[in-house]
Amino acid sequence: MYTRRATAPAGRMVATMAGVVRACAPPAAVATSSAAPSSADATKRRKPSSARVLVLGGAGRVGGSTATALSKLRPDLSILVGDKNREKGESFAAKLGEQSEFVEVDTRNASMLENALQGVDLVVHTAGPFQREQKCAVLEAAISTKTAYIDVCDDTDYSWRAKGFHEQAKAAGVPAITSAGIYPGVSNVMAAELVHAARSENDCEPERLRFFYYTAGSGGAGPTILTTSFMLLGEDVIAYNKGEEIKLKPYSGVLNIDFGKGVRNKNVYLLNLPEVKSTFKILGVPTVSARFGTAPFFWNWGMQAFANFLPVEFLRNKNKVLKLVQFVDPLVRAVDGIAGERVSMRVDLECSNGRSTVGLFTHRKLSV
């Protein structure tokens, strides 16, 4: 469910997804670093019967959900399940059906990566966590092999490093999109739609935009999401206030936000997320921040405790965090069975004329 609600002294307006389709095509693409392919490349890619999609991290929860959705949306696609874990990968590919197969890929092995991309039309990179990665290895391999690329990156440094390959992707005729998951991703589109509508329909200048996110438990998304969440606690939160970049403490600044029907009021806390920088730099909104919260409530207490008491050096060490996740994950899985997978995103925009607009998206299952 997606709604857009605007409030002003004179009244109120509600718009459904139809309004999003119309308003979601401003020239500024918040989440993308892309280039239009040449006509020859475009012709080559228009072959649905032979189209091959490689999903990296395909045996994981995010990659597996992506592969499943693609196979249902386009049964004619050949889905390649790329993963380091052969046993899980082969088992999952078999469940997807005869149009799918397993490909063993280690994203840290450049030659293995490029070999896997041969003859592939699109690579979907879900093999996180993206935090503390020093190279955009999959993107570089995609450009080298002229393979269309999309990822679900949720790390600010990585996403902006990826954007640095814009000219290379453009020269190679390779469409490339970074940070195209749920948040960031769908949330960026929501922000772009609100800002575009404010400027074009209401003739007002956006002054403040705030992202609010809620996910029940881990959303059933697996250890990678836990690793990402813990590592974000080791990063200063980058936000913007009236055009100035400010640094804030992670998992601080709690607000109680109404996410509407099915979720209602939840506490959310500051986190360092890439859509904040994109909104400031690309959409030109001077005051921007992002907050996240989970349930049950004691998970929020745990996140605060980690942020306040674990050394920053620990939280920034991926190997140590992975060991912590191995310890915590069984408990999280048990609670997830009770908490469910509901996810909700709310984007609030305030304008110079006093008008406020709210975008709200809610779904009962994060995996879907």
Side-chain angles (χ1 to χ4, degrees), residues 284-318:
V285 181
T287 300
V288 194
S289 62
R291 286 175 169 83
F292 165 83
T294 185
F297 62 90
F298 52 77
W299 285 150
N300 289 320
W301 291 356
M303 293 284 280
Q304 282 183 304
F306 285 169
N308 290 325
F309 300 115
L310 287 180
V312 171
E313 294 74 18
F314 179 96
L315 293 168
R316 292 179 178 177
N317 186 311
K318 185 177 290 189

Side-chain angles (χ1 to χ4, degrees), residues 107-172:
T107 57
R108 297 179 185 273
N109 185 318
S111 59
M112 180 183 282
L113 193 52
E114 291 205 10
N115 286 338
L117 290 176
Q118 298 300 323
V120 169
D121 296 276
L122 169 68
V123 57
V124 184
H125 182 13
T126 73
F130 293 86
Q131 282 70 21
R132 302 284 173 253
E133 287 296 321
Q134 300 303 311
K135 293 182 64 179
C136 299
V138 179
L139 176 56
E140 291 183 60
I143 294 172
S144 175
T145 57
K146 297 187 183 300
T147 305
Y149 169 94
I150 189 167
D151 70 38
V152 295
C153 167
D154 51 7
D155 180 67
T156 302
D157 289 343
Y158 189 101
S159 66
W160 283 87
R161 191 178 300 117
K163 290 173 189 287
F165 287 90
H166 174 76
E167 292 302 328
Q168 291 183 39
K170 183 177 178 181

Side-chain angles (χ1 to χ4, degrees), residues 29-46:
V30 184
T32 65
S33 172
S34 62
S38 67
S39 58
D41 285 342
T43 301
K44 183 181 75 172
R45 297 186 197 284
R46 282 193 216 110

Side-chain angles (χ1 to χ4, degrees), residues 30-148:
V30 184
T32 65
S33 172
S34 62
S38 67
S39 58
D41 285 342
T43 301
K44 183 181 75 172
R45 297 186 197 284
R46 282 193 216 110
K47 295 180 179 179
S49 61
S50 62
R52 289 160 60 84
V53 178
L54 172 63
V55 181
L56 293 175
R61 292 175 187 257
V62 176
S65 295
T66 302
T68 300
L70 283 172
S71 65
K72 290 179 179 178
L73 182 69
R74 286 281 301 276
D76 57 308
L77 289 177
S78 294
I79 307 291
L80 307 180
V81 178
D83 206 280
K84 292 187 296 184
N85 190 319
R86 174 172 289 276
E87 183 179 353
K88 286 180 64 178
E90 289 181 340
S91 174
F92 179 70
K95 290 178 183 177
L96 279 182
E98 59 183 22
Q99 285 288 95
S100 302
E101 62 180 284
F102 171 73
V103 178
E104 187 172 359
V105 186
D106 184 344
T107 57
R108 297 179 185 273
N109 185 318
S111 59
M112 180 183 282
L113 193 52
E114 291 205 10
N115 286 338
L117 290 176
Q118 298 300 323
V120 169
D121 296 276
L122 169 68
V123 57
V124 184
H125 182 13
T126 73
F130 293 86
Q131 282 70 21
R132 302 284 173 253
E133 287 296 321
Q134 300 303 311
K135 293 182 64 179
C136 299
V138 179
L139 176 56
E140 291 183 60
I143 294 172
S144 175
T145 57
K146 297 187 183 300
T147 305

